[in-house]
Amino acid sequence: AARSKDELRSPICCILGHVDTGKTKLLDKIRQTNVQEGEAGGITQQIGATYFPVENIIQKTAILGDLTEEYKLPGLLVIDTPGHESFTNLRTRGSSLCNIAILVVDLMHGLEPQTLESIRLLRDRKTPFIVALNKIDRIYDWRATPDNGFQSSFAKQPKHVREEFETRVTATITAFAEQGLNAKLYYENKNFAKYVSFVPTSAITGEGIPDLLHLLVTLTQSRLTDRLMYVSELECTVLEVKVIEGLGTTIDVVLSNGYLNEGDRIVVCGLNGPIVTQVRALLTPQPLRELRVKSAYVHHKRVKAALGIKISAPDLEKAIAGSRLLVVGPDDDEEELKDAVMEDLQTLLKSIDKSGRGVSVQASTLGSLEALLEFLRVSKIPVSAINIGPVHKKDIIRASAMLEKAKEFAVMLAFDVEVDKDAALLAEQLGVRVFTADIIYHLFDKFTAYNKDIVE
Ligand code: GDP
Ligand code: MG
């Protein structure tokens, strides 16, 4: 494949963190139209992602002054749905397609349960990340200078503000150390491979956002160059499966490498086996100013990585979020590609305990199932059955097989999925315990508490 250092593709960035730390607000602030110029500065809203061209980033970081390092990237693709789901699904063959992540921590709250979960996911996938230490404006008496670089703003604060900031940063550094992570304020960090960087930010005043963007670009281009170069090989992942009026079931994908064309024959992993279909349309949202236009989408004949796009095609009803998407080329063996897309699910099936004893596990997507199974493996909780999607009666019946074999495992761990009414009722009747949660730790805690009870 042709590779060139001058032809870097845009890195893909995810935002993770505990609820209410300001993930959405930070994204909104970064996306904010340059009011003075009255335009979006080339920022384009895509499906499930926002593209920030480098010109826009240069503009936003200009306030930091003389930047010795020049930007080599064409831009940055930020995934819009903050949280675990998009991060865990941005995956291929066990590794992450997210090139860099922002872990948002509320400076006033420190580490919270979903922060810990995020750290664990980032480590499992070996994804580099920086920490946005958000809500600095909530320090009592903070004097805001909108959209300023952090260090300049900080220098203007009265002594007691600076002291409170330092106390809180030190406490957060200690909390990270307890998780086995060394951390430093980014401008004191001389070794990015060894220390996690804290970037103090405010999603309300915009302070620290220039620093955040600058660090994202410089870190990705200096440390990830190999992975960001254009390669001809297609790399595409299904992030969401959605029913859209007038289009039927569609898939929202992130194309992280290569090209996609209207009419391409594609293969994705389905609940009942591989799905082979043909791309009917490649769609992105209409730009805001074009809202008068009837159709909600712009059609594309051909698109290039990295971007988020909606694919309309027949037969996508059973497609699984988290699946790879492959294109059948002229020289490809379609059967091989079918096996390839099913491989991830097969691998997960292999983690089922050979003894046939273990809990039942169900999750919303391939990515979240994989994350949950990894956690259970490390926690030494055996698994006897897995599934993706809502919990139905048949899943409860399968779990009930444990009532005879090993009663303590007659349990359904449902991660981020609905349990339908009939299934819940049946579980009650049969004596299968169902635990639901949207944080993996919580599922684990519920199960271990129950397990202790039953053993005693
Ligand atoms: P998310 O759950 O992580 O997406 O959090 P949101 O972006 O929805 O923010 C949660 C709440 O915190 C909202 O009321 C925001 O207005 C507020 N918030 C977010 N960032 C900041 C910040 O930097 N400073 C202050 N004072 N409030 C913030
Ligand atoms: Mg949010």
Side-chain angles (χ1 to χ4, degrees), residues 214-357:
H214 179 66
L215 195 61
L216 278 178
V217 173
T218 50
L219 274 185
T220 42
Q221 72 186 17
S222 64
R223 293 190 57 205
L224 303 168
T225 311
D226 273 353
R227 278 200 252 164
L228 293 180
M229 287 188 286
Y230 278 121
V231 292
S232 52
E233 193 187 338
L234 177 89
E235 216 170 51
C236 187
T237 311
V238 180
L239 279 199
E240 281 197 74
V241 182
K242 271 191 192 156
V243 178
I244 303 287
E245 211 188 306
L247 293 176
T249 304
T250 64
I251 49 177
D252 293 351
V253 305
V254 171
L255 177 66
S256 46
N257 241 321
Y259 295 84
L260 275 178
N261 301 285
E262 191 183 277
D264 274 349
R265 196 169 166 79
I266 56 171
V267 189
V268 296
C269 176
L271 267 182
N272 303 338
I275 299 168
V276 182
T277 183
Q278 195 179 13
V279 175
R280 200 189 276 143
L282 296 169
L283 307 163
T284 53
Q286 282 291 352
L288 277 177
R289 63 193 150 79
E290 306 281 359
L291 273 182
R292 296 163 286 128
V293 183
K294 259 235 167 76
S295 157
Y297 299 104
V298 182
H299 289 243
H300 301 266
K301 286 274 174 240
R302 179 175 171 82
V303 291
K304 178 178 148 191
L307 92 166
I309 195 154
K310 182 182 282 302
I311 296 181
S312 156
D315 305 324
L316 291 173
E317 291 75 19
K318 299 272 182 215
I320 297 178
S323 161
R324 297 166 66 189
L325 180 150
L326 298 176
V327 171
V328 187
D331 307 324
D332 287 329
D333 175 355
E334 196 166 296
E335 292 307 312
E336 263 175 39
L337 299 191
K338 283 185 183 171
D339 289 345
V341 294
M342 295 307 289
E343 210 170 83
D344 287 335
L345 193 56
Q346 300 305 332
T347 307
L348 294 188
L349 282 166
K350 277 189 207 131
S351 63
I352 287 175
D353 206 76
K354 302 285 181 300
S355 70
R357 293 154 53 100

Side-chain angles (χ1 to χ4, degrees), residues 391-397 400 403 412 418-434:
V391 178
H392 295 300
K393 269 164 102 172
K394 65 173 185 345
D395 303 308
I396 298 297
I397 292 169
S400 73
L403 288 166
M412 166 66 74
E418 299 277 319
V419 179
D420 84 25
K421 252 203 196 126
D422 290 348
L425 201 66
L426 183 67
E428 175 107 31
Q429 285 164 359
L430 295 176
V432 172
R433 288 298 297 264
V434 179

Side-chain angles (χ1 to χ4, degrees), residues 107-179:
L107 176 67
M108 311 306 275
H109 291 174
L111 300 199
E112 299 176 271
Q114 278 164 294
T115 323
L116 300 178
E117 181 124 320
S118 303
I119 291 175
R120 196 178 52 72
L121 291 171
L122 291 163
R123 277 182 158 170
D124 280 357
R125 293 278 161 81
K126 301 188 173 60
T127 306
F129 65 98
I130 59 182
V131 173
L133 216 46
N134 195 36
K135 305 200 184 182
I136 51 170
D137 64 289
R138 290 198 45 206
I139 295 175
Y140 178 72
D141 211 18
W142 179 268
R143 321 251 160 119
T145 312
D147 303 317
N148 201 7
F150 172 74
Q151 291 180 82
S152 155
S153 266
F154 190 61
K156 292 181 188 156
Q157 303 304 319
K159 186 158 171 273
H160 62 276
V161 171
R162 279 185 279 135
E163 279 171 2
E164 182 178 348
F165 172 82
E166 263 147 23
T167 307
R168 290 188 183 276
V169 169
T170 305
T172 314
I173 287 177
T174 307
F176 267 77
E178 281 162 9
Q179 300 302 316

Side-chain angles (χ1 to χ4, degrees), residues 18-26 134-138 201-204:
H18 193 77
V19 66
D20 280 350
T21 49
K23 300 180 292 297
T24 304
K25 198 88 191 165
L26 267 176
N134 195 36
K135 305 200 184 182
I136 51 170
D137 64 289
R138 290 198 45 206
T201 57
S202 165
I204 301 286

